[in-house]
Each structure stands twice: as structure tokens, then as C-alpha cells.
Amino acid sequence: MPRFKRILLKLSGESLQGEQGYGIDVKRLNEYATQIKEVLNMGVEIGIVIGGGNIFRGLSGAGKGFDRVKGDQMGMCATVINSLALSSALGAIGVKSRVLTAIRMEPIGEFYTKWRAIEAMESGEVAIMSCGTSQPYFTTDTGSSLRGIEIEADVMLKGTRVDGVYTADPEKDPTATKFSDISYDEVLSRGLRVMDITATAMCKENNLPIYVFNMDIVGNLKRVMAGEPIGTLVHP
Ligand code: UDP
């Protein structure tokens, strides 16, 4: 039995760039698609929100003189590009998916509603929800919290390139230790950057647990669903 029945999987755009440092690494993309297929075959309903940091981030654009709102809109378009890439990679291995866009852009994707996403998942398709929240000044982490709550997911699985939540950034501080579980309040009071504050606060207020794990190791998504304690659970 899978640990959760319906999941919201957050994939980082930045991780999609793999070793190449920009854009979409096809190897990483295909690995993600294969991992998703494995979990779909366990009977899990899957909603996905994917970031866009491998292509464009509004905040870094603003630092280079871009208008922040236009920059954020560029970032949201980047999430659509990544969503289409993932949908295509899933299709290539026989997995049906539906790209929904929170900003109207038919025929690229159907306009997002909670019910369209649920309908897709209930019919065995992967629902890929793009454009984040559709609003500037937000992130796809907040988009994931919002969509996870809306689609009544049992958990938000935050796939990252680290294997959980640490006392400090393990890439910078070798003495950092990992939590097996931690409360939302402790994440917020310790200022741990699991996700941005808005995203964490939304999960806290709506009781959506977050499971942080390393999605870049092939097989990890299935391990999480099988109940292996490989990451960190953030809970009430
Ligand atoms: N973005 C936005 N509103 C949202 C979600 C995303 O404006 O609701 C923009 C924002 O500029 C962000 C970019 O899209 O920097 C890409 O998303 P994010 O940085 O969350 O991607 P990730 O870090 O997961 O690759």
C-alpha cells in the first residue's frame, strides 16, 4: 500500500537543468518521468507543480534591470515550458498527463480549475499544474502549497537536491544535521529555508504536511511512497 493516496509533487525547475547549468537536461527529465510512472503504477493520484528557475526567475531578472512583474510573468511562462517538457516525457513512456495553466493559453494547456485537476487524477492521468499561482511576487513553492490544498492532497512532496531539512545549509555547513521530522512552527522560528515563508505558512494554516526528499536520486519517489524514512516530514 502506498503511504499516501493523493500527492502534490513539487519539482524544482533548477534541478531539471541537471549537470548542464541551464535549460532542460533530457536525462534528468526522463528520470523524473520514470519515477512518476513507478508511483502512478502503485495506484497513487498525482498532481505536479514544477518550477521555472532553470529558465528564468523574476527576482534575479529584477536585479539586472527587468521590470519585476514582467520578470515574474517570464518565470511563470518558464513553468509552462517545463510542464510541457515533463508531459511530453511522460507521454513517451505511455503515461497520460494533462497540462493545466493558471493563466489562459489554450491550446497549450487547459485553463486550471481544481475540478479539472481532480478529474484528470481520478481518471488516472497526471495533472501538471503550471504558472505557479498565476500572480507575480509568488513562487512555485507557494503555488504548490496552494494547489496541494485545493486538490485535497494528503501531502506535498517537495523534491529537491538535498535529502531533507537540516539545522543549516548542508552545502555550506558540514556540521549541519538532518531532522527526520520537524513542526511548521520550528521551521519558521529557526528561519529554515525549506520553502519560502508564505508557502510554509499556507501549509501550516491548512494542515498540509510537507515531505522534503532528494528527488534527484532515481527510485527515491517510490521509496517515499513505500514509507522508507529517507527525508524530513514537516507537520503540525
Ligand atoms: N513565479 C511567479 N508566481 C508564481 C510562481 C512563480 O511570479 O506563483 C515566477 C517567479 O519569477 C519565479 C519563477 O516564476 O522566480 C520561477 O519559479 P521558481 O523560482 O519558484 O522556480 P524553482 O525555484 O522551483 O525552479
Side-chain angles (χ1 to χ4, degrees):
M1 277 291 284
R3 183 171 176 188
F4 306 104
K5 188 175 180 306
R6 179 179 290 169
I7 61 172
L8 186 293
L9 175 64
K10 160 76 206 296
L11 296 175
S12 137
E14 202 169 311
S15 291
L16 254 195
Q17 69 194 11
E19 304 301 313
Q20 62 192 35
Y22 178 81
I24 299 170
D25 174 34
V26 176
K27 181 172 172 281
R28 177 64 52 76
L29 179 72
N30 290 336
E31 285 171 359
Y32 280 180
T34 307
Q35 292 202 69
I36 292 161
K37 181 177 181 173
E38 279 180 349
V39 166
L40 192 72
N41 288 344
M42 292 167 92
V44 179
E45 292 180 359
I46 307 174
I48 295 180
V49 167
I50 186 158
N54 55 324
I55 300 172
F56 200 84
R57 281 207 176 94
L59 195 57
S60 15
K64 295 175 193 144
F66 278 85
D67 174 78
R68 173 70 194 267
V69 173
K70 289 195 196 307
D72 280 339
Q73 289 168 337
M74 291 166 71
M76 287 185 266
C77 290
T79 72
V80 179
I81 294 174
N82 287 336
S83 298
L84 293 170
L86 183 64
S87 174
S88 170
L90 286 169
I93 54 171
V95 175
K96 282 192 185 160
S97 64
R98 202 180 299 190
V99 175
L100 300 164
T101 66
I103 297 169
R104 278 199 181 276
M105 54 179 90
E106 294 98 342
I108 287 178
E110 283 175 52
F111 191 42
Y112 168 82
T113 66
K114 161 187 176 165
W115 296 279
R116 283 200 176 121
I118 290 178
E119 182 192 272
M121 291 186 298
E122 285 180 343
S123 64
E125 291 172 50
V126 176
I128 307 176
M129 295 164 276
S130 65
C131 302
T133 63
S134 86
Q135 300 299 324
Y137 296 96
F138 287 98
T139 63
T140 50
D141 279 345
T142 304
S144 310
S145 309
L146 177 62
R147 299 303 176 223
I149 294 159
E150 278 189 279
I151 66 167
E152 299 165 36
D154 300 318
V155 68
M156 183 211 293
L157 297 183
K158 182 169 159 68
T160 66
R161 57 177 187 197
V162 286
D163 60 357
V165 182
Y166 281 76
T167 48
D169 184 346
E171 287 176 356
K172 291 182 189 139
D173 181 352
T175 65
T177 54
K178 189 179 127 185
F179 295 98
S180 62
D181 71 287
I182 185 170
S183 68
Y184 304 112
D185 284 336
E186 205 173 346
V187 166
L188 292 168
S189 65
R190 284 177 175 251
L192 299 174
R193 303 227 325 260
V194 181
M195 302 198 300
D196 54 85
I197 297 169
T198 317
T200 308
M202 274 205 76
C203 288
K204 172 177 148 63
E205 282 173 1
N206 295 280
N207 283 315
L208 178 66
I210 308 160
Y211 195 81
V212 184
F213 72 106
N214 187 341
M215 178 75 189
D216 296 352
I217 295 175
V218 175
N220 265 1
L221 182 59
K222 195 174 168 186
R223 289 186 190 102
V224 170
M225 296 309 291
E228 280 187 46
I230 59 168
T232 301
L233 180 69
V234 187
H235 55 81

